[in-house]
Amino acid sequence: MKELAGKNILLGITGGVAAYKSAVLCRDLMRRGAEVRVVMTEAATHFITPLTLQALSGHPVHSELFAAEAGHGMDHIELARWADRLLIAPASAQTIAKLAHGEADNLLTTIVLASDAPLLIAPAMNNVMWEDAAMQGNVDLLLARGVTMLGPASGDQACGEDGLGRMLEPLEIIEHLQLQLQPGLLAGKNILITAGPTWEAIDPVRGLSNRSSGKMGYALAGAIYDAGASVRLISGPVHLRSPHGVDCINITSAQEMADTVMANVSICDIFVAVAAVADYRPANCVKQKIKKNAETLSLELVRNPDILAMVAALENAPFTVGFAVETENIIEYATQKLTTKRIDLIAANPVSGDNSAFDSESNELTLIDRNGISHLSRCSKTLLAQKLTKEIAHRYHETHPAKDS
Ligand code: PMT
């Protein structure tokens, strides 16, 4: 059976160079069994012809809000009702702004307003435009409404610049869609996740921390929520918005993270420790700012609790998933952590050269459990999180078969 058989995908194409990729996207959606109807904005038709999309989808392309041939002049309502998913790729800065503010001045934006189908947007634009405060404000509004943002990716741009703003490749977009259309993998389950760094205060203005941005953990929390679970995220200090639907508790230090996890763990089925927790903290946090009077300064550090090991040692321990950053002997060191912490699964991030898992948009993972080793290759953290969710769900269900009622 084809992965997208029976699914109705409305593909919206807006004006941008990346529109040429939409032809491949349309063809690959159809190859996977999806029914595709294409809606193009007027600007999109300057980059790719409707005829190309008509030939690929096997249906006329829609672009007029008031097309005479549309049934009762209600084309947008019919298309809005028909779609299981609305996918806009590429989404231009202008369309994103219109969607954020509920404007309905063309067929595509009107369909979005008229549809209750989940909306996925693959932005494509110049990197400076993407990072503009107004654009990010619009993205925030859409994310807060539960819209799925696919990318953008980073790299060479048609304008000659390099940065964040490229449309994701068609296959990446399709993988997102497929994973999103398999809901219920973790329906009814309670998941507790840690993410981000911890901050261990030395004095009121200084502290020990690390480069974790929280991106991997937040992406995983969002993907697990999309898989139907209730998710509680315990997060160290990061600059990220809490994922849609996820209950987020903010903490600062490793001890606070440990206390909060232990207070919430009893109701969880799966515990995933993505946080980069400080192994040590200063023995004493000085009340006043330390003055630089001496040539040298010694800092006494004491061990922090190992949260993951504590959870795994509980009498009724949930299914436990750990993460590990390794620069060498990845499999050996990660396997040691799996064994000594007595956890069910460990996801190791290989870190080398430019491929740092910390604070990057993409990542790759080597998964190790008692049955063996597998690899999730490098891709955006959002997509990786969806793939990992599937892996966790399969392993969880294998070890916790549903009881017959
Ligand atoms: O946040 P990003 O910028 O997106 O980066 C993601 C990440 C690289 C931080 C993430 O993918 C990751 O690998 N997190 C674990 C980092 C690490 O090196 O952990 P560790 O080897 O110190 O610990 C192993 C495991 O034990 C981890 O699951 C950790 O959460 C847990 N642990 C560690 C120490 C401690 N005191 N308590 C813990 O629970």
Side-chain angles (χ1 to χ4, degrees):
M1 164 128 169
K2 292 184 173 177
E3 304 91 320
L4 293 173
K7 300 297 176 198
N8 294 340
I9 311 296
L10 187 137
L11 174 61
I13 306 177
T14 72
V17 184
Y20 78 91
K21 292 188 191 173
S22 309
V24 179
L25 179 58
C26 176
R27 185 203 58 192
D28 288 350
L29 285 167
M30 308 258 317
R31 280 187 179 164
R32 284 166 175 74
E35 272 288 318
V36 181
R37 300 285 185 277
V38 179
V39 176
M40 293 175 77
T41 62
E42 201 271 330
T45 63
H46 294 280
F47 292 91
I48 184 166
T49 70
L51 196 58
T52 305
L53 275 308
Q54 177 173 318
L56 288 168
S57 70
H59 294 277
V61 168
H62 307 264
S63 47
E64 299 291 327
L65 185 51
F66 302 109
E69 69 275 11
H72 316 293
M74 296 292 281
D75 220 10
H76 60 284
I77 299 293
E78 282 158 25
L79 285 167
R81 286 185 187 142
W82 171 85
D84 292 316
R85 285 291 186 279
L86 308 176
L87 168 63
I88 305 185
S92 64
Q94 188 182 33
T95 294
I96 289 174
K98 286 180 186 176
L99 295 174
H101 298 281
E103 281 187 32
D105 68 342
N106 62 31
L107 182 62
L108 182 59
T109 51
T110 308
I111 288 172
V112 173
L113 272 193
S115 177
D116 57 9
L119 172 63
L120 297 91
I121 292 181
M125 67 196 72
N126 164 273
N127 63 317
V128 183
M129 285 172 80
W130 171 252
E131 275 151 24
D132 181 84
M135 167 56 59
Q136 286 305 307
N138 290 336
V139 170
D140 285 350
L141 284 174
L142 292 170
L143 286 170
R145 283 183 218 138
V147 172
T148 304
M149 255 334 133
L150 306 178
S154 190
D156 295 344
Q157 299 201 289
C159 54
E161 295 193 21
D162 196 293
L164 213 53
R166 284 167 61 99
M167 183 172 116
L168 288 193
E169 294 306 317
L171 280 182
E172 273 207 282
I173 293 176
I174 289 175
E175 277 188 71
H176 276 286
L177 194 63
Q178 278 175 203
L179 289 164
Q180 216 192 65
L181 284 163
Q182 299 172 337
L185 272 179
L186 288 170
K189 300 297 163 201
N190 289 303
I191 319 292
L192 193 60
I193 303 182
T194 64
T198 59
W199 171 268
E200 312 299 325
I202 297 172
D203 70 13
V205 294
R206 302 183 184 95
L208 301 175
S209 192
N210 59 64
R211 289 173 50 214
S212 169
S213 62
K215 286 176 190 166
M216 192 65 242
Y218 275 55
L220 192 59
I224 290 181
Y225 173 78
D226 285 344
S230 295
V231 183
R232 186 158 287 175
L233 174 64
I234 300 178
S235 173
V238 298
H239 301 282
L240 296 174
R241 200 176 314 100
S242 171
H244 175 73
V246 169
D247 175 20
C248 188
I249 302 175
N250 296 309
I251 54 83
T252 304
S253 66
Q255 187 61 56
E256 281 169 21
M257 185 174 270
D259 294 343
T260 315
V261 165
M262 296 319 278
N264 285 277
V265 75
S266 64
I267 53 141
C268 89
D269 300 292
I270 302 176
F271 174 65
V272 193
V274 195
V277 186
D279 290 321
Y280 294 89
R281 66 177 183 276
N284 300 299
C285 172
V286 183
K287 293 246 169 349
Q288 303 300 330
K289 186 180 169 193
I290 300 171
K291 293 289 168 199
K292 54 172 184 291
N293 298 329
E295 277 308 307
T296 59
L297 186 66
S298 301
L299 199 60
E300 192 192 349
L301 301 176
V302 293
R303 277 289 284 267
N304 271 326
D306 188 318
I307 306 166
L308 180 56
M310 270 161 54
V311 170
L314 289 171
E315 197 179 340
N316 289 315
F319 186 86
T320 45
V321 182
F323 271 66
V325 165
E326 304 295 348
T327 51
E328 55 176 355
N329 304 329
I330 296 164
I331 293 176
E332 185 191 334
Y333 292 158
T335 306
Q336 273 170 18
K337 284 179 188 167
L338 178 85
T339 320
T340 53
K341 293 181 193 247
R342 295 169 171 268
I343 58 177
D344 296 295
L345 171 67
I346 193 147
N349 318 247
V351 173
S352 62
D354 291 344
N355 283 347
S356 168
F358 283 102
D359 199 19
S360 58
E361 298 305 319
S362 64
N363 195 13
E364 62 186 295
L365 293 170
T366 300
L367 305 184
I368 307 171
D369 66 7
R370 63 181 68 83
N371 295 321
I373 299 172
S374 57
H375 192 73
L376 298 178
S377 52
R378 182 162 284 275
C379 61
S380 69
K381 284 184 177 171
T382 323
L383 181 55
L384 192 64
Q386 290 177 342
K387 291 182 179 177
L388 180 58
T389 298
K390 214 168 155 183
E391 298 288 338
I392 293 173
H394 286 159
R395 285 169 173 80
Y396 171 79
H397 290 304
E398 258 171 35
T399 50
H400 299 75
K403 296 188 183 80
D404 291 336
S405 51

